[in-house]
Amino acid sequence: MKIAIIGLGIMGKNHYRVLQNIVGVEIVGLCDPVTEDTFNHALYRDIDEMLNSVELDAVLIAVPTFLHKEVALKCIDKGLDIFIEKPVAPTVEEGEAILSAANAKGVKVAVGYVERFNPVVKALKDELQGKEIYTIAMTRVGPIPPRIADVGILTDLAVHDIDLIRFVSGEEITDVSIFKSQKFIII
């Protein structure tokens, strides 16, 4: 499979590292307009130039979330299957636009819900198999990573929690209560 990575920030570099070790995957292009890093594969600064220059089967999109729709639609228009980092888009409407375009073009879209493959999650799913779940509460504790400043912590990280609830339970979420807080340190 000939693949390109678009976006070489933290997640893009992580995917780059992993893809280099997967048998049957050939990285044929990288695209990022601002990276100063060096790579062992062709680096493009312009998405259109890369899409028009390289023969591809699929792309991995790891740009900031607010750019997902724009980049995804360009790739879908070229008939490329895409793996897109979560969240798929900053709004439901943009996510639906990506899905609609993919369906119209007959391409596959996968979203990076990597926590599904966490061995702890698999063990939890196995443990809960056949049991009735009445309620689930999740608490996310820790600093807000600076890389998610474009859409905020609820949009960027809560999608993992929502996906895990649906994945582990095998059910759709019917009732939601979201509470958030911030602690400020005054010096």
Side-chain angles (χ1 to χ4, degrees):
M1 173 178 279
K2 294 180 179 180
I3 192 164
I5 301 171
I6 303 171
L8 295 164
I10 292 170
M11 291 308 298
K13 287 177 193 164
N14 185 50
H15 289 297
Y16 178 64
R17 178 185 54 79
V18 171
L19 286 173
Q20 291 180 83
N21 297 309
I22 297 178
V23 175
V25 170
E26 180 185 357
I27 299 171
V28 295
L30 304 171
C31 185
D32 192 300
V34 297
T35 188
E36 295 181 12
D37 296 316
T38 57
F39 301 92
N40 295 327
H41 295 86
L43 176 63
Y44 294 83
R45 299 295 181 174
D46 180 78
I47 293 170
D48 295 318
E49 179 187 356
M50 184 187 73
L51 293 176
N52 291 323
S53 302
V54 180
E55 184 181 323
L56 293 167
D57 298 310
V59 296
L60 190 148
I61 299 171
V63 298
T65 304
F66 74 93
L67 295 171
H68 281 189
K69 178 184 168 194
E70 175 187 346
V71 172
L73 293 180
K74 285 182 181 206
C75 297
I76 291 167
D77 188 53
K78 294 283 187 182
L80 299 171
D81 293 329
I82 62 175
F83 176 96
I84 191 166
E85 264 303 326
K86 59 82 196 150
V88 70
T91 66
V92 170
E93 294 77 19
E94 288 190 22
E96 288 174 343
I98 293 168
L99 179 61
S100 177
N103 286 337
K105 201 71 168 179
V107 302
K108 297 173 187 161
V109 176
V111 181
Y113 292 120
V114 298
E115 290 300 327
R116 286 182 175 208
F117 305 97
N118 183 325
V120 172
V121 172
K122 182 185 180 330
L124 177 61
K125 185 174 174 104
D126 292 346
E127 178 65 29
L128 294 174
Q129 194 67 33
K131 296 181 178 150
E132 190 169 359
I133 301 170
Y134 293 102
T135 185
I136 296 175
M138 297 184 109
T139 302
R140 187 169 288 277
V141 179
I144 298 174
R147 66 177 174 75
I148 63 168
D150 67 331
V151 293
I153 195 161
L154 284 178
T155 300
D156 191 88
L157 294 178
V159 294
H160 278 304
D161 303 334
I162 293 164
D163 180 63
L164 287 178
I165 290 169
R166 295 173 67 228
F167 178 68
V168 168
S169 70
E171 300 288 334
E172 291 299 322
I173 297 171
T174 59
D175 191 26
V176 178
S177 297
I178 298 174
F179 302 95
K180 66 178 188 170
S181 67
Q182 292 181 326
K183 289 186 178 182
F184 295 98
I185 299 173
I186 301 174
I187 300 177

